[in-house]
Amino acid sequence: MRASEIRTNFETGACDDLLLDLYGDRDMVAMERDRYVYALNSFMEHFGDLEVSVFTAAGRTEVSGNHTDHQHGRVLAASVNLDSIGVAAKADDVIEVVSDAFDIAPLSTADLTKDPAQEGTSEALIKGVYQGFVNDGYHTGGMKAFVTSNVLAGAGLSSSASFEVLIGCILNGFYNDNTVPLPEIAKIAQYAENEYFGKPCGLMDQCACACGGLVTIDFNDPKQPVIEPIPVDFAKYGHSLCIVDTKGSHADLTDEYAAIPQEMKSVARAMGKDVLRQVDEAAFYASLPALRKECGDRAVLRAVHFFNENRRVPDIVQALKADDFDAFLAGINASGNSSFEYLQNVFPKGADRQMEVALGLALAQQALEGTGASRVHGGGFAGTIQAFVPDEKVPAFKELLESCFGPGSCHVLKIRKYGGHQVL
């Protein structure tokens, strides 16, 4: 179908039921309708009225399992109803991806060579996803695409993972008949981010963006992660999921992020293993004097966080399965406290005047008044906090947090059931 025909279907409301199913919020339908019309118009402005398909990839929120995935641990994560949208057409050998947020140079399917000069760029992510498809024996080809996203960049919602998964979904739809499993697309996306983009992330972000819904993932075998959907409707518990952007900059924080897996792995190596999931916890505690001397106290504390957090994830999952929301909230608060106290990813070392995440947590706890739950969100050090807020407290919570961090900094989100998805 041509882009203009699909645009007409959105404009007339013919796709409203599709949008409601996709985003799970009737109040968002009109806004999303406008987003898709905008994306289709933008595609036609750049490429003409071609035969196109429409794709989406969700943003994600981490619920528990903070910094456990890179140690082959367990996580609980969810896709949210912020996403990347791609309108795309097949092309011969050119990869032309136009974004309304970044300038992206055209690429060739014939040259997927890793270029160190492209590290940290969208071009690197695209080339990495293409090379990942090639490495795994899948088909690739050219594309012309316009991409827009409302996944908050730098806010812990995995805007880069959403973009990677979107490119993977386009290749899956156009050249592989949508037969590549979403977990495989997630692994390819992680490869792109690790090897081409230069960020040493785990697999959780990409899995949550690709797979959709609330999922618990066990990375004990990272080549074959065990993914279990957890059906839950937070609305029935009278709570809303809030993500607050504390407006801290992620610039110059790569070393802070990288130090966490490096220090955890230093403890594992000192115990004769590769990652902490392989280390016997009792043996770890028995070896503390030697570990403190070899690895340092911060590395030891971060290992303590891993062991506790890795046990905590299945407990939180079981609480949801048992319909025990109070136990779920207690688990989230415990997870957040562990991140603050042991993992130490709420502010970077040396911070004194700017501690946005810590301040956000203090204000959240003041607004919650002993109810709900709050925690650092995602990688930490800057960016966002997450809170589960009783519905009746949402207006006051939003008012207090936005009085500090600015209008629009508090986002009330829903978990959506679709991750990476071909819409039309």
Side-chain angles (χ1 to χ4, degrees), residues 147-231:
V147 174
T148 184
S149 177
N150 62 5
V151 181
L152 307 173
L157 295 166
S158 294
S159 56
S160 60
S162 177
F163 179 76
E164 298 151 13
V165 169
L166 181 69
I167 297 300
C169 286
I170 294 172
L171 290 177
N172 193 20
F174 279 167
Y175 300 109
N176 296 276
D177 297 321
N178 284 316
T179 59
V180 183
L182 289 171
E184 295 301 314
I185 292 178
K187 285 187 277 189
I188 289 170
Q190 183 204 21
Y191 165 84
E193 189 143 351
N194 289 173
E195 300 299 325
Y196 276 67
F197 190 77
K199 181 179 177 181
C201 67
L203 185 56
M204 185 270 289
D205 294 355
Q206 290 79 9
C207 268
C209 289
C211 295
L214 182 70
V215 293
T216 184
I217 310 168
D218 189 337
F219 293 108
N220 192 34
D221 179 358
K223 294 184 178 180
Q224 296 294 332
V226 178
I227 301 170
E228 180 187 358
I230 308 297

Side-chain angles (χ1 to χ4, degrees), residues 352-414:
D352 51 8
R353 293 187 60 83
Q354 290 184 281
M355 304 170 73
E356 298 92 344
V357 173
L359 179 58
L361 290 170
L363 294 177
Q365 289 170 18
Q366 180 177 333
L368 289 169
E369 300 176 305
T371 65
S374 61
R375 58 160 304 130
V376 62
H377 183 241
F381 300 111
T384 55
I385 65 168
Q386 175 194 81
F388 291 91
V389 183
D391 290 340
E392 67 273 12
K393 290 182 180 288
V394 169
F397 181 92
K398 186 176 176 70
E399 181 180 3
L400 178 60
L401 273 294
E402 291 192 346
S403 72
C404 182
F405 300 113
S409 57
C410 180
H411 302 268
V412 183
L413 304 180
K414 290 184 181 294

Side-chain angles (χ1 to χ4, degrees), residues 3 34 56 99 207 211 256 272 281 332 360 377 382 398 408:
D34 290 344
T56 173
S99 166
C207 268
C211 295
E256 294 279 3
E281 186 175 359
I332 299 305
H377 183 241
K398 186 176 176 70

